[in-house]
Amino acid sequence: MDVNEFRKYGREMVDYIADYIENIRERTVVHGVQPGYMKELLPDEAPQKGENFSDIMKDIEKIIMPGITHWHSPNFHGYFAAGNSFPSILGDMLSDAIGCIGFSWATSPACTELEVITTDWLGRMIGLPKEFLHSDHGPGGGVIQSTASETVFLCMLAARNKIVNQIKAKNPHMDEMEIIAKLVGYTSDQANSSVPRSGMLGAVRMVKLQTDNTFSLNGVTLREAIEEDKKNGFIPFFLCASLGTTGTCAFDDLETLGPICKEHGIWLHVDAAYAGSAFVCPEFRKYMKGIEYAETLSTNPHKWMLIAFDCSVMWIKNSSYLVDAFNVDPIYLRHENEGRVPDYRHWQIPLGRRFRSLKLWFTLRAYGVEGIQQYIRRHCELAKEFERLILDDGRFEVVAETVMGLVCFKLKGDTILSEKLLEEIMATGKIYIIPAIVRDLYFLRLAICAERTTSEDIRRSFEVIKRATDRVMSMHFVIEGKHKPTIDIDISPLRLHGSCDEDEETSGTNGNHIGDVSPLR
Amino acid sequence: MDVNEFRKYGREMVDYIADYIENIRERTVVHGVQPGYMKELLPDEAPQKGENFSDIMKDIEKIIMPGITHWHSPNFHGYFAAGNSFPSILGDMLSDAIGCIGFSWATSPACTELEVITTDWLGRMIGLPKEFLHSDHGPGGGVIQSTASETVFLCMLAARNKIVNQIKAKNPHMDEMEIIAKLVGYTSDQANSSVPRSGMLGAVRMVKLQTDNTFSLNGVTLREAIEEDKKNGFIPFFLCASLGTTGTCAFDDLETLGPICKEHGIWLHVDAAYAGSAFVCPEFRKYMKGIEYAETLSTNPHKWMLIAFDCSVMWIKNSSYLVDAFNVDPIYLRHENEGRVPDYRHWQIPLGRRFRSLKLWFTLRAYGVEGIQQYIRRHCELAKEFERLILDDGRFEVVAETVMGLVCFKLKGDTILSEKLLEEIMATGKIYIIPAIVRDLYFLRLAICAERTTSEDIRRSFEVIKRATDRVMSMHFVIEGKHKPTIDIDISPLRLHGSCDEDEETSGTNGNHIGDVSPLR
């Protein structure tokens, strides 16, 4: 493709994207295909000769779109919001065109320096203590990672490295494996599945602690676990606390957890993948009280701040723990970096990295702090509006407090009613919501996801749920004493997984579910 | 930004990108800034009110471009090629617009199924055995990862998990840590720095084996290491072999390494990050003989196949080793996946993933297999042409065979001459090349990187080197018996690092170097 063809097809793609977003309401939100559908539509081998790009453009509607679940449709209420916006798309276009690999400052200083500046911008926007900012001239700062899950793993490894070095300094006779075998990390029974998985990957014991009746982990539980484990010769070293869990958007109690971590030298990582963006609004910052005790935290602008995946921002108070844990030669690089800008390849698991701060910069400037606040507040108000509709109906109960953009509800009575309700809703193909199970309680989650979701969209979504409920209420069930899930909604994966990240949580269930019901459409 | 503004600024961005690529030769290839330059140009905080996008567009030239090293300039000869092309940019635009998070099949079947199909396309294009393809209906297949470095880590963890389970099955009394403490993995002294780093991250011993005088690792060396380590009670479990090392583009001898791995039950991972793309040309496949012994391999279309970062493709013969190693509940998911499409979140470290196969699909179709072959062959011919110019001059020696798109050369005589030559070349700002050190041998690397590099570009690059050489030859040096690096080119990082990935390898050196000499420009 020569440069003039790019001008032509670039314009066409811009218009295609504009039309897609503008008219997304008219598309059936859920894909309508069966596993393997694309194999029938594409050849087994790449073409020998290059094809005309206009033929490729035609295949987008023919081959790709039937297999798309439209995450940015106002009728999409699954998982949590996935970030996206026009300025973000423009930022990625420029990033691709420059195409630098920013593994060190020198390979393209702009790539590193804009990331330093924009992660500071974002840190100030959500009210982080200055220890987390590059501008504090301390060892702290922010970095863009691919996902919150990769960040948990990274921080767990850095924490493991720190404690091993501390213990070896005092007990030179102990070897690394001997120490790692005694380590224990903690998280809550509501945490992202990537936390226990990080333990698995890092060959470290990771324990899920029980949350209270608001699905929140508190200091009393943590202290008991630490004392018990220490009595048994284990070494507590890491806690991953969650602000805004996937199941119910619950918040762990940093104010009681933090001091205990400090007292016991435990690395506190705070996973605020979804809720972190909301702290741009001062009224929500009460949910992050105690954040000053964290060594690291992360939030995903690619979830709830209008940035396209991937852009997960992580902050650390002392980056040397990270650099040293990953550096093939720490002594040399400590010198190299002294008083200079970071070489971000040492702040992450992969070596290569692209210019992701451009889309963050474009989006924060195009919306401004006030524009982002409006967007967050509107989503939270729409969630409240939906909650009112659900409660006024009288046939539903809300199972967790509606704090941000998520409403967790079920039909009063036996679980099977809510399961059937989900079947009826999904069979319409008009809206997309997903179920969750927390401590054997089965419920439905409706998240506000699209940037342009309106009050009218919410009322229309509620109408779909209302009519589906009418149908369920007219059915006859044999309610067994002990409920067994129907085959149509196999909820076992969720039960097995425990509560997971919005990525992981419901994909198993939903994977089965959509697969099973699509023939009904 | 409303949809009409996006149509307007989208067109502007398309034209900006077209102009940038069309006129990239006219830009000074190396950035001309000092650390911290951007702090002076941007405010400390994000704007309160949204800004007009036309102001943001203006800042691209003012704030970003001065800090860019132009990787896609024909005057850029550093590291290895970084992939990029117009169809790839268009693919990422669409991926951003759809903005689905493809962690499971159901969240957007097209995202998973196009990845299954295009990784099969690519596997066939480079002549992989069918065990690596999804279409073989076995447990094998391809997946898009972020980088080759992350892939090495992932495969090492999967191999660790496999061996631990095997040993525990035979010795139920042994615990995981006891086994891991005895594991030993191997790679060559020329391998990517991410390999030893993977050992560090995974808390596993990773040994660098010595290569022969062609910088290639062979079976004799591996067998000796295995026998010695087994004698000492260690458990060899993993070998990362390289096809196309960064230092000199050397190739490990899979034909002698493979059978030994098979004999000892060692997981063979093949890192062909750069050279893998060349196997699309049958004449280069002799360098991958023995690939059938590999359990996993990876290559980076985002390096040498015109795809923008990130798109690192990995293939595995038995994906269950990967899925089980990373899965919070293997039993359930084995069932879920039976006879179905993969849930790729279990094939990678992060949970979330974006629709990266679109750019691979667009690019392979737009160029066709023959277009890609032409591109690869042209780069290799240009490298040969540069090698001839260097040898004909008489003052240079070539330190490693020129096999693909890389020429490794030095001035005859003491190292300091080549160091001074690099200084003189970089001071012109006309071309960008980087040094390397392999076994105390200091030399310069000239890689063919840009898609549109011509024979004329190569002759012009040689002219720059020739004139710089004339200047160096007119200088007077006190050559010490034992050479010490000058401060301008601190080569110690490379010596400390050993040979690293193109990302890592020279960034330290180069980081110092560019930082130090830019005032001269």
Side-chain angles (χ1 to χ4, degrees):
Chain A
M1 181 182 295
D2 67 26
V3 69
N4 293 324
E5 287 174 293
F6 175 70
R7 290 182 201 272
K8 175 181 188 298
Y9 292 114
R11 282 177 172 72
E12 273 186 37
M13 185 60 78
V14 166
D15 284 328
Y16 181 85
I17 291 169
D19 296 340
Y20 172 70
I21 300 289
E22 196 169 21
N23 307 311
I24 197 163
R25 260 187 199 82
E26 291 152 29
R27 294 179 184 260
T28 304
V29 60
V30 187
H31 74 84
V33 300
Q34 291 297 302
Y37 87 99
M38 199 182 280
K39 231 186 309 130
E40 314 307 318
L41 303 173
L42 288 178
D44 292 344
E45 301 197 359
Q48 275 300 307
K49 309 235 173 249
E51 299 178 44
N52 186 318
F53 205 79
S54 60
D55 296 333
I56 299 172
M57 289 292 290
K58 290 193 198 96
D59 283 346
I60 298 170
E61 275 304 319
K62 215 173 83 201
I63 294 167
I64 303 301
M65 285 300 166
I68 296 296
T69 293
H70 301 284
W71 282 60
H72 302 286
S73 162
N75 301 320
F76 182 92
H77 299 299
Y79 314 104
F80 275 131
N84 202 11
S85 69
F86 292 132
S88 171
I89 292 171
L90 295 170
D92 264 350
M93 285 168 68
L94 181 61
S95 171
D96 267 8
I98 292 172
C100 62
I101 312 296
F103 45 77
S104 78
W105 176 85
T107 58
S108 266
C111 182
T112 296
E113 299 205 9
L114 189 64
E115 191 162 329
V116 165
I117 289 166
T118 49
T119 53
D120 269 11
W121 278 14
L122 192 59
R124 287 198 187 86
M125 281 171 66
I126 64 174
L128 293 185
K130 62 176 177 28
E131 291 72 15
F132 289 106
L133 305 182
H134 294 278
S135 58
D136 194 42
H137 302 299
V143 59
I144 298 177
Q145 307 280 1
S146 74
T147 58
S149 50
E150 190 169 323
T151 301
V152 169
F153 184 37
L154 183 76
C155 295
M156 195 274 293
L157 292 172
R160 184 195 73 189
N161 189 72
K162 182 189 174 199
I163 189 82
V164 166
N165 290 339
Q166 281 176 349
I167 292 172
K168 281 174 86 169
K170 291 195 208 116
N171 318 279
H173 61 283
M174 285 183 83
D175 87 348
E176 188 174 2
M177 280 303 141
E178 210 183 330
I179 298 165
I180 293 176
K182 290 190 169 67
L183 297 181
V184 56
Y186 303 106
T187 193
S188 95
D189 58 20
Q190 297 299 301
N192 185 312
S193 68
S194 62
V195 185
R197 193 164 72 151
S198 295
M200 210 183 284
L201 291 170
V204 166
R205 188 176 293 93
M206 191 68 63
V207 176
K208 286 185 181 181
L209 302 177
Q210 198 178 358
T211 50
D212 63 20
N213 55 10
T214 66
F215 308 116
S216 164
L217 177 66
N218 62 50
V220 177
T221 312
L222 176 65
R223 186 179 293 283
E224 285 170 3
I226 292 172
E227 286 165 358
E228 179 68 17
D229 285 335
K230 283 192 164 179
K231 217 184 304 154
N232 297 324
F234 291 115
I235 305 166
F237 81 109
F238 180 73
L239 168 65
C240 178
S242 307
L243 296 182
T245 60
T246 307
T248 63
C249 195
F251 295 80
D252 290 340
D253 180 15
L254 298 184
E255 274 188 295
T256 60
L257 296 168
I260 298 169
C261 290
K262 193 177 174 188
E263 175 190 344
H264 293 273
I266 291 172
W267 181 302
L268 173 59
H269 174 70
V270 174
D271 181 353
Y274 169 68
S277 296
F279 302 141
V280 72
C281 305
E283 66 270 28
F284 287 118
R285 294 198 187 146
K286 61 185 180 208
Y287 295 105
M288 63 185 267
K289 273 196 185 145
I291 195 71
E292 64 275 12
Y293 291 102
E295 179 59 47
T296 44
L297 78 144
S298 82
T299 186
N300 293 354
H302 71 227
K303 273 193 180 62
W304 207 17
M305 210 179 269
L306 299 157
I307 316 286
F309 187 94
D310 58 331
C311 182
S312 177
V313 178
M314 171 194 136
W315 291 271
I316 183 166
K317 271 185 190 160
N318 184 348
S319 60
S320 69
Y321 289 134
L322 203 58
V323 171
D324 295 358
F326 289 87
N327 196 325
V328 283
D329 191 83
I331 297 102
Y332 153 68
L333 269 140
R334 258 202 303 272
H335 165 75
E336 154 91 348
N337 282 339
E338 236 150 45
R340 295 182 63 170
V341 284
D343 275 339
Y344 272 133
R345 71 185 181 283
H346 299 297
W347 292 51
Q348 60 180 21
I349 288 172
L351 281 172
R353 61 204 321 275
R354 71 188 204 287
F355 203 160
R356 289 173 292 197
S357 56
L358 279 172
K359 59 184 169 185
L360 188 55
W361 190 47
F362 280 13
T363 305
L364 294 183
R365 288 183 66 179
Y367 285 81
V369 175
E370 292 176 9
I372 303 281
Q373 288 171 329
Q374 270 174 31
Y375 159 79
I376 297 278
R377 287 173 178 143
R378 192 169 61 250
H379 275 198
C380 298
E381 285 156 14
L382 289 170
K384 282 285 183 196
E385 182 177 349
F386 177 78
E387 182 186 39
R388 273 193 304 276
L389 291 167
I390 279 288
L391 290 175
D392 293 349
D393 179 276
R395 294 174 291 182
F396 301 93
E397 53 191 304
V398 169
V399 304
E401 191 192 354
T402 300
V403 178
M404 293 181 176
L406 175 71
V407 183
C408 302
F409 66 101
K410 68 182 286 296
L411 275 168
K412 293 173 180 170
D414 192 89
T415 295
I416 196 168
L417 297 172
S418 296
E419 291 174 8
K420 287 289 175 197
L421 174 58
L422 181 63
E423 268 184 75
E424 289 293 326
I425 292 167
M426 294 303 288
T428 68
K430 287 182 178 165
I431 64 170
Y432 184 91
I433 63 173
I434 56 174
I437 296 177
V438 173
R439 295 207 207 113
D440 286 352
L441 178 70
Y442 178 95
F443 58 92
L444 307 185
R445 291 170 77 266
L446 184 137
I448 313 298
C449 294
E451 180 183 4
R452 293 170 180 74
T453 306
T454 64
S455 176
E456 198 186 348
D457 290 314
I458 292 306
R459 286 196 300 275
R460 208 169 25 240
S461 294
F462 175 69
E463 275 308 310
V464 173
I465 295 168
K466 198 158 156 295
R467 285 201 209 88
T469 305
D470 298 340
R471 290 195 294 280
V472 170
M473 288 311 176
S474 68
M475 297 175 182
H476 297 290
F477 300 100
V478 183
I479 311 281
E480 306 167 11
K482 179 156 182 10
H483 164 70
K484 285 188 191 57
T486 65
I487 193 64
D488 279 347
I489 307 178
D490 174 4
I491 58 177
S492 54
L494 255 186
R495 196 169 266 133
L496 287 166
H497 278 296
S499 180
C500 309
D501 141 299
E502 60 278 33
D503 301 355
E504 182 98 342
E505 168 160 278
T506 40
S507 50
T509 307
N510 221 33
N512 289 350
H513 183 53
I514 291 179
D516 296 334
V517 300
S518 46
L520 300 177
R521 283 210 305 288
Chain B
M1 182 183 293
D2 66 27
V3 69
N4 294 324
E5 288 174 291
F6 175 69
R7 290 182 201 272
K8 174 181 187 298
Y9 293 113
R11 282 177 172 71
E12 273 186 37
M13 185 59 78
V14 166
D15 284 329
Y16 181 86
I17 291 169
D19 297 340
Y20 173 70
I21 300 289
E22 195 169 20
N23 307 310
I24 198 164
R25 261 189 197 78
E26 290 152 30
R27 294 179 184 258
T28 304
V29 59
V30 188
H31 74 85
V33 299
Q34 291 296 299
Y37 87 98
M38 200 182 281
K39 228 185 311 132
E40 313 307 319
L41 303 173
L42 287 179
D44 292 343
E45 301 199 358
Q48 276 300 305
K49 308 233 173 254
E51 299 179 41
N52 186 318
F53 205 80
S54 60
D55 297 332
I56 298 172
M57 288 293 290
K58 289 193 197 93
D59 283 345
I60 297 171
E61 274 305 318
K62 216 173 83 202
I63 294 168
I64 302 301
M65 284 300 165
I68 295 296
T69 294
H70 302 283
W71 283 60
H72 301 287
S73 162
N75 302 318
F76 183 92
H77 299 299
Y79 313 103
F80 275 131
N84 202 10
S85 69
F86 292 132
S88 171
I89 293 171
L90 295 170
D92 264 349
M93 285 168 69
L94 182 60
S95 171
D96 267 8
I98 291 172
C100 62
I101 312 297
F103 46 78
S104 77
W105 176 86
T107 59
S108 265
C111 182
T112 296
E113 299 206 8
L114 189 63
E115 192 163 329
V116 165
I117 289 166
T118 49
T119 52
D120 270 11
W121 278 14
L122 192 59
R124 287 197 187 87
M125 281 171 66
I126 64 174
L128 293 186
K130 62 174 178 29
E131 291 73 14
F132 290 106
L133 306 182
H134 294 279
S135 58
D136 193 42
H137 302 298
V143 58
I144 298 176
Q145 307 281 2
S146 75
T147 60
S149 51
E150 190 170 322
T151 300
V152 169
F153 184 37
L154 182 78
C155 295
M156 195 274 294
L157 291 173
R160 183 195 74 188
N161 188 73
K162 182 188 174 198
I163 189 83
V164 166
N165 291 339
Q166 280 176 349
I167 293 172
K168 282 174 84 170
K170 289 194 210 117
N171 316 279
H173 61 284
M174 286 183 83
D175 87 349
E176 187 174 2
M177 282 301 142
E178 211 183 328
I179 298 165
I180 293 176
K182 290 191 168 66
L183 297 182
V184 56
Y186 304 106
T187 192
S188 95
D189 57 20
Q190 298 298 302
N192 186 311
S193 67
S194 62
V195 186
R197 195 163 73 151
S198 295
M200 209 183 285
L201 291 169
V204 165
R205 188 177 292 92
M206 191 69 62
V207 176
K208 285 183 182 183
L209 303 178
Q210 197 176 1
T211 50
D212 63 20
N213 56 8
T214 66
F215 310 114
S216 164
L217 177 66
N218 62 48
V220 178
T221 313
L222 176 65
R223 185 180 293 284
E224 284 169 2
I226 292 172
E227 285 165 358
E228 179 66 18
D229 285 335
K230 282 193 164 178
K231 216 183 301 152
N232 297 323
F234 291 115
I235 305 167
F237 81 110
F238 181 73
L239 168 65
C240 178
S242 306
L243 296 183
T245 61
T246 307
T248 63
C249 195
F251 294 79
D252 290 341
D253 180 14
L254 298 185
E255 273 188 296
T256 59
L257 296 168
I260 297 169
C261 290
K262 192 176 175 187
E263 174 189 343
H264 293 274
I266 291 171
W267 181 303
L268 172 59
H269 174 71
V270 175
D271 181 352
Y274 169 67
S277 296
F279 302 140
V280 72
C281 306
E283 65 269 30
F284 286 116
R285 294 196 189 150
K286 61 186 181 210
Y287 294 104
M288 62 184 267
K289 271 196 185 145
I291 195 70
E292 64 274 13
Y293 291 102
E295 179 60 46
T296 45
L297 78 144
S298 82
T299 187
N300 292 355
H302 71 227
K303 273 194 181 60
W304 207 16
M305 209 179 270
L306 299 157
I307 316 287
F309 188 92
D310 56 331
C311 181
S312 177
V313 178
M314 170 194 137
W315 291 271
I316 183 166
K317 272 186 191 161
N318 185 348
S319 60
S320 69
Y321 290 134
L322 202 60
V323 170
D324 295 357
F326 289 86
N327 195 325
V328 282
D329 191 83
I331 297 101
Y332 153 68
L333 269 139
R334 261 203 302 272
H335 164 76
E336 154 92 348
N337 283 337
E338 236 152 44
R340 296 184 62 173
V341 285
D343 274 339
Y344 272 133
R345 73 186 180 281
H346 299 297
W347 292 51
Q348 61 180 20
I349 290 172
L351 280 174
R353 59 203 325 274
R354 70 187 203 289
F355 202 162
R356 291 173 292 196
S357 56
L358 279 172
K359 58 184 170 187
L360 188 56
W361 189 48
F362 280 12
T363 306
L364 295 183
R365 288 183 66 180
Y367 285 81
V369 174
E370 293 175 8
I372 304 280
Q373 288 172 330
Q374 268 174 33
Y375 159 80
I376 297 277
R377 285 172 179 145
R378 192 169 62 248
H379 274 197
C380 298
E381 286 156 12
L382 290 170
K384 282 286 183 197
E385 181 176 350
F386 178 78
E387 183 185 39
R388 276 192 302 278
L389 291 166
I390 279 287
L391 291 175
D392 293 349
D393 179 275
R395 294 174 293 183
F396 301 92
E397 53 191 303
V398 169
V399 304
E401 191 192 354
T402 300
V403 179
M404 293 180 178
L406 175 71
V407 183
C408 301
F409 65 101
K410 69 183 286 296
L411 276 167
K412 293 173 179 169
D414 191 88
T415 294
I416 197 168
L417 298 171
S418 296
E419 290 174 9
K420 287 288 175 198
L421 175 58
L422 182 62
E423 268 185 77
E424 289 292 327
I425 293 167
M426 293 303 287
T428 68
K430 287 182 179 165
I431 63 170
Y432 184 91
I433 62 173
I434 57 173
I437 295 177
V438 173
R439 294 206 208 113
D440 286 353
L441 178 70
Y442 178 96
F443 58 92
L444 308 185
R445 291 168 78 266
L446 184 135
I448 313 298
C449 294
E451 180 182 4
R452 292 171 181 75
T453 307
T454 64
S455 175
E456 197 185 350
D457 290 314
I458 293 306
R459 287 196 299 276
R460 208 168 26 240
S461 294
F462 175 70
E463 275 307 310
V464 173
I465 294 167
K466 197 158 159 293
R467 287 203 205 88
T469 304
D470 299 340
R471 291 196 293 280
V472 170
M473 289 309 176
S474 68
M475 297 175 183
H476 298 290
F477 300 98
V478 182
I479 311 277
E480 305 168 11
K482 177 153 184 14
H483 164 69
K484 286 189 189 56
T486 65
I487 193 65
D488 279 348
I489 308 179
D490 174 6
I491 59 179
S492 54
L494 254 188
R495 200 168 262 133
L496 288 167
H497 279 295
S499 181
C500 308
D501 143 296
E502 60 279 28
D503 300 353
E504 182 97 343
E505 167 159 278
T506 40
S507 50
T509 307
N510 221 30
N512 289 347
H513 182 54
I514 292 181
D516 296 333
V517 300
S518 47
L520 301 177
R521 282 210 308 286

